[in-house]
Amino acid sequence: KRGAGMEWHVDDVLYRPKQIEVVLTIDNTSDCCTMWKPHDRPITPNSNENNNQNENNNNQNNNHESREEYEVQSAQTTPNSALILEAGSVEHKVSPLKAGRRTILKMAFARENSVLLEGMEGRASHHDGKRRQTNTKRRSGKKKKKKGGGGGTKNK
C-alpha cells in the first residue's frame, strides 16, 4: 500500500508558549525518508542573488516568508526513535511510502497554563485532553461468564 508522505511544512503554532511536537517511530520497514532544513546551515546565495538582495528583502517583509535556502538533512527513522521539535521552527517533510510499512505516534505537548492562540480552536481540538464520543460500542463493565467451567485447577 502506498502512502502520500508529507510535503515541506512547518508545524502550526497552536499555543503560547509554543508546543513541542514529538514523532515517535514505532515500526519502520519502509523506504520513507524524513528530511529537514536546519536553520544553522544556510546555503550561501550566489552573486546574482546578492545583487537583488534589497529587492528580495522587501519582498520577504511583504510576504512574511523567508526565501533563504538551507542545506537539507535526512534520515530513515528507526523503531523507538523520536523526532522532537518546537512548533513553528523547522521546515520538514516525509517522502512518500513506496515499499514496507511505517507506524508512528505523533504527540504535541503544551505547558500547563499555555494559552490557545486565537483562530486555532479547530486545529487544536484533538489536543484538548477531552474524550470524544464515537460511534463504537463501549463495554458496559459487566463480566461475561466463560464457557467450559472457568479453566482453573482444584486442589483435593
Side-chain angles (χ1 to χ4, degrees):
K1 187 175 179 180
R2 289 184 175 205
M6 296 182 88
E7 290 302 318
W8 286 108
H9 69 283
V10 174
D11 292 333
D12 291 336
V13 175
L14 305 174
Y15 296 94
R16 264 309 160 235
K18 296 176 182 179
Q19 77 273 10
I20 300 298
E21 304 275 336
V22 178
V23 179
L24 175 65
T25 300
I26 307 298
D27 184 37
N28 192 1
T29 60
S30 76
D31 58 347
C32 288
C33 188
T34 301
M35 293 166 264
W36 65 96
K37 297 177 182 179
H39 289 220
D40 62 344
R41 296 188 186 190
I43 296 172
T44 306
N46 65 35
S47 59
N48 290 338
E49 289 176 0
N50 285 336
N51 292 337
N52 297 325
Q53 185 174 6
N54 289 337
E55 182 181 332
N56 287 341
N57 285 341
N58 290 337
N59 288 339
Q60 286 175 10
N61 292 337
N62 291 338
N63 293 336
H64 302 288
E65 291 182 18
S66 174
R67 290 200 174 123
E68 191 168 16
E69 290 294 319
Y70 295 91
E71 182 181 322
V72 174
Q73 301 290 304
S74 65
Q76 280 193 303
T77 57
T78 58
N80 298 317
S81 66
L83 297 173
I84 304 170
L85 46 105
E86 182 180 60
S89 63
V90 178
E91 190 174 8
H92 56 285
K93 75 176 273 180
V94 178
S95 65
L97 181 131
K98 296 176 186 165
R101 180 183 175 126
R102 179 174 174 260
T103 307
I104 64 164
L105 175 62
K106 171 105 186 239
M107 300 168 273
F109 295 93
R111 292 184 188 146
E112 191 172 347
N113 301 323
S114 291
V115 176
L116 182 63
L117 298 177
E118 187 174 332
M120 291 294 151
E121 296 84 3
R123 292 179 181 249
S125 63
H126 57 284
H127 293 287
D128 65 6
K130 295 178 185 174
R131 180 169 278 209
R132 295 182 167 271
Q133 290 289 352
T134 64
N135 290 333
T136 60
K137 294 180 181 179
R138 299 193 186 270
R139 292 186 178 183
S140 65
K142 295 180 183 178
K143 292 184 179 181
K144 291 183 179 180
K145 292 183 181 180
K146 290 184 179 180
K147 293 182 182 178
T153 59
K154 293 183 182 178
N155 293 332
K156 291 186 181 185

